[in-house]
Amino acid sequence: MRIDVKKTYKLYIGGAFPRSESGRSYEVNNSKGVFIANPSQASRKDLRDAVVAARAAQAGWSGATAFNRAQILYRVAEIMEGRTSQFVDEIVALEGVTPAAAKKQVEEAIDLWVWYSGWCDKISTIYGATNPVSGSFYNFTTPEAMGVVGVFAPQKSSLLGLVQSLAPVLAAGNTAILVASEKFPLPAISLSEVLATSDIPGGVVNILTGITAELAPWMASHMDVDAIDASGLSATQEKEARLEGVENLKRIFAFKGDQTPQRVLAFMENKTVWHPIGI
Amino acid sequence: MILTDGSESSIKSFLRTLSPVDQVGADARAAMLATRSIKTSSKVWAIDIAISMIDLTTLEGADTPGKVRAICTKAVRPDPSDPTVPHVGAICVYNDMVKIARDQLDASGGHDIPVAAVSTAFPSGRASLDVKQRDTEDAIASGAQEIDMVIDRGAFLSGNLAKVFSEIEFIKGICGDKAHLKVILETGELVTYDNVRKASFLAMAAGADFIKTSTGKVTPAATAPVVLIMLEAVRDYYAMTGKKIGVKPAGGIRNTKDAIKQLVLVNETAGPEWLNPQLFRIGASALLNDLLLQRMKIRDGHYAGPNYVTLD
């Protein structure tokens, strides 16, 4: 008889897999209420470390050419494809859906990831502009990455929701701190294994598992977080986040599963350049 | 009490009387002390005392007068938005920047902040004694009140202890009562903990006011066990002679957690008397910003970001 090798579920910060500095973990049950895993319960200090890692990775990621970012994100999709069965098992256990439905969700998530990776080098072509000005200048406006974005993944959809929130933020050239769905965190942890073996530089995506209500106020008040995808926050939590986020004019958006380049644009800001003609 | 007359045989017989260092024990004790958790009001106190102990340092080939002036201004008022932040312990620069630093400090109200100069062919120390003499005199003439000299590690490792001793004694003679002498052991090159202990005693017996771990140009620099051993040496030297010698770890102390670990080492080894800038300094540059960010976090109740401190 063989003894199972059980997995220790850890956080993903700065390209490494640490346990929570608090040493805490919490219990996750499957759809039938049976215990299945002990993921780390991230503390505010893990969140702080994740922000430091994300900020350090920011210049490199947003400075990479859009084409290069697209290639790297596409490679993530390639590796996700190879891990399909792992994602399917986790979705079946957590959401209680049939394996066929779970497989469909995984495929949709991978396709969506590819779709958003394609936007990297198209977004500024389509949404940038040359502006008519009365003077001897060329005047350009292009959307650029906002910086460090906190992402609260939707609570109800374990993998697809995650990709819906994370992929547009990355395609925009931001680095992210992703807080996984509290009850369905396992696909996020598997995604961190995918990211660690892809070409995404460490720190570009940081994944925390834990209690959303505990982490949300610290994310919202953190002065070095530029924007938040609040899709995974409750209405009250989102309102509180908006109040806390006022201090550094944080941009906070929540989405309902829409597949649109507007999700990429939401985490970009327009930069305008005046360039003299004839010099 | 004279521990040695400076001759090779007398130094060797003095150093032989020292108890050897238990390497495993030192590592374990340093690791154990690093697990102490300093929270709330103690942390507030520790952050402020750590700021006041910083030798704010810039030792780059690319240093400019502008950069030196900027760090001097920062030394006086580390957080312009908060006058309750103490000023740092000293400014540490290369010789040619000493006058610029001194003038800027005086101009911005930092009369009581000394300027430390790294001297004696820093960081390698590979120059003739004449050059080292000129280097030191030049720094003092420009207004340096602290001299950070390097020992001749080559001589130390090849057993030429009298040469190391006489050099420190010689530089101390130049400093006289005009400047404090910090002796850099460059522990990253001394190979064993026993050597660190021996070099510490050698430097103290030769007249050092401070012993400093490293130049910051060699890794490993100020590791916890090395600082522990130097603090023990200082403690033992105090017991032998009644003279209090300061300790300055430098290099690799980049965040608040590291700095607080150093303070714990001081408190538990040399004792609380050493917890002041006259007897303990931290050579650092990036550390100050992290201490300020932590201080803001405690003051404001939320995390601050690097946009709220200076770039340097």
Side-chain angles (χ1 to χ4, degrees):
Chain A
M1 211 196 84
R2 183 171 174 274
I3 299 170
D4 289 344
V5 178
K6 296 263 171 134
K7 181 153 131 188
T8 311
Y9 293 92
K10 299 199 211 174
L11 307 175
Y12 181 56
I13 298 174
F17 290 97
R19 290 180 172 81
S20 168
E21 71 60 59
S22 63
R24 300 176 305 175
S25 59
Y26 70 110
E27 293 191 357
V28 165
N29 297 337
N30 69 11
S31 57
K32 298 184 185 70
V34 181
F35 166 82
I36 48 169
N38 267 324
S40 298
Q41 184 184 337
S43 68
R44 63 181 169 87
K45 294 193 178 173
D46 296 311
L47 184 131
R48 173 199 63 189
D49 294 347
V51 175
V52 170
R55 178 56 70 191
Q58 223 301 302
W61 183 242
S62 64
T65 61
F67 175 74
N68 186 221
R69 271 206 307 277
Q71 295 274 300
I72 290 174
L73 289 179
Y74 183 81
R75 177 146 174 83
V76 172
E78 289 175 8
I79 298 171
M80 282 172 83
E81 185 90 11
R83 293 228 183 195
T84 304
S85 63
Q86 185 181 339
F87 284 120
V88 167
D89 291 348
E90 286 165 348
I91 293 169
V92 167
L94 290 168
E95 296 185 24
V97 295
T98 62
K103 183 143 196 295
K104 189 158 168 286
Q105 188 188 144
V106 175
E107 285 167 354
E108 258 183 74
I110 296 172
D111 291 350
L112 189 63
W113 191 282
V114 171
W115 192 80
Y116 276 118
S117 64
W119 273 105
C120 290
D121 58 355
K122 298 167 189 70
I123 196 91
S124 78
T125 317
I126 294 179
Y127 292 96
T130 50
N131 311 311
V133 288
S134 110
S136 57
F137 296 96
Y138 291 118
N139 186 283
F140 310 96
T141 296
T142 50
E144 289 186 8
M146 206 167 254
V148 172
V149 179
V151 178
F152 289 93
Q155 299 291 343
K156 294 217 170 102
S157 158
S158 52
L159 181 65
L160 184 58
L162 194 67
V163 172
Q164 282 167 343
S165 281
L166 184 61
V169 166
L170 297 179
N174 298 295
T175 52
I177 301 106
L178 176 95
V179 178
S181 159
E182 189 173 318
K183 296 220 166 63
F184 301 161
L186 302 189
I189 299 168
S190 297
L191 183 67
S192 68
E193 292 161 9
V194 167
L195 296 169
T197 49
S198 74
D199 298 326
I200 282 208
V204 169
V205 187
N206 304 277
I207 297 184
L208 305 177
T209 52
I211 312 302
T212 306
E214 181 192 349
L215 297 170
W218 291 103
M219 184 82 89
S221 64
H222 200 304
M223 301 295 273
D224 206 26
V225 174
D226 300 302
I228 290 180
D229 178 337
S231 306
L233 298 183
S234 69
T236 338
Q237 285 168 344
E238 189 190 327
K239 192 177 156 216
E240 280 165 9
R242 286 182 188 282
L243 289 172
E244 297 262 21
V246 158
E247 192 72 24
N248 74 335
L249 305 178
K250 224 175 247 97
R251 278 68 135 205
I252 299 175
F253 305 100
F255 302 92
K256 289 199 171 56
D258 4 10
Q259 176 179 352
T260 157
Q262 294 302 329
R263 293 191 70 148
V264 182
L265 270 187
F267 297 103
M268 304 185 91
E269 50 191 7
N270 287 327
K271 299 270 167 75
T272 297
V273 178
W274 295 69
H275 192 281
I277 296 173
I279 294 176
Chain B
M1 185 176 125
I2 305 290
L3 297 173
T4 164
D5 62 14
S7 69
E8 193 77 47
S9 59
S10 133
I11 296 170
K12 281 197 171 140
S13 61
F14 162 58
L15 293 182
R16 257 198 296 275
T17 64
L18 299 175
S19 53
V21 179
D22 166 6
Q23 186 190 342
V24 176
D27 285 340
R29 180 153 175 78
M32 185 274 282
L33 290 175
T35 63
R36 291 277 170 87
S37 185
I38 308 294
K39 299 287 184 203
T40 61
S41 57
S42 314
K43 187 170 176 185
V44 173
W45 182 85
I47 288 174
D48 277 3
I49 193 94
I51 292 175
S52 71
M53 285 171 171
I54 288 182
D55 276 10
L56 195 58
T57 304
T58 181
L59 296 172
E60 304 294 332
D63 282 348
T64 57
K67 184 180 180 193
V68 170
R69 285 192 201 103
I71 70 159
C72 288
T73 316
K74 187 173 183 178
V76 180
R77 275 288 288 277
D79 181 352
S81 68
D82 187 350
T84 63
V85 180
H87 66 66
V88 305
I91 288 287
C92 185
V93 288
Y94 274 115
N95 266 358
D96 59 333
M97 295 293 175
V98 171
K99 186 157 174 15
I100 294 160
R102 185 69 266 156
D103 290 349
Q104 181 65 28
L105 284 170
D106 290 342
S108 47
H111 303 283
D112 47 350
I113 302 176
V115 177
V118 290
S119 258
T120 69
F122 180 93
S124 66
R126 299 255 67 87
S128 71
L129 202 55
D130 284 347
V131 171
K132 291 181 181 180
Q133 175 183 359
R134 248 329 265 130
D135 203 14
T136 311
E137 286 169 350
D138 181 45
I140 295 173
S142 311
Q145 289 149 283
E146 302 185 356
I147 295 293
D148 288 25
M149 72 170 286
V150 288
I151 64 167
D152 185 340
R153 282 87 74 189
F156 181 87
L157 290 172
S158 53
N160 196 352
L161 303 179
K163 179 162 189 279
V164 181
F165 188 93
S166 65
E167 257 187 36
I168 300 172
E169 223 177 12
F170 178 68
I171 301 292
K172 174 69 183 172
I174 301 171
C175 294
D177 52 7
K178 295 189 289 285
H180 258 62
L181 180 64
K182 303 199 198 106
V183 177
I184 303 171
L185 309 180
E186 195 64 292
T187 52
E189 292 181 346
L190 293 186
V191 190
T192 67
Y193 289 168
D194 267 327
N195 280 349
V196 173
R197 184 167 166 82
K198 282 181 186 162
S200 301
F201 271 94
L202 186 68
M204 290 188 285
D209 298 305
F210 254 87
I211 48 176
K212 173 173 167 184
T213 57
S214 353
T215 57
K217 307 286 181 200
V218 169
T219 43
T223 63
V226 157
V227 178
L228 176 80
I229 288 160
M230 289 170 62
L231 285 161
E232 282 173 348
V234 161
R235 177 196 64 195
D236 297 348
Y237 187 78
Y238 175 60
M240 277 181 210
T241 64
K243 249 187 96 183
K244 285 182 193 155
I245 306 295
V247 177
K248 174 177 170 186
I253 303 166
R254 288 199 183 86
N255 58 42
T256 305
K257 214 174 210 174
D258 295 341
I260 291 179
K261 279 178 195 167
Q262 298 285 339
L263 298 183
V264 171
L265 283 175
V266 175
N267 191 60
E268 298 300 317
T269 312
E273 271 178 88
W274 261 261
L275 278 179
N276 78 65
Q278 275 73 50
L279 288 171
F280 193 73
R281 293 278 184 78
I282 300 170
S285 38
L287 171 64
L288 181 55
N289 274 349
D290 196 66
L291 287 165
L292 293 176
L293 290 176
Q294 288 285 323
R295 215 176 174 280
M296 287 180 199
K297 150 77 179 61
I298 293 166
R299 186 190 65 194
D300 304 335
H302 55 71
Y303 289 114
N307 287 346
Y308 299 87
V309 289
T310 57
L311 270 178
D312 40 26

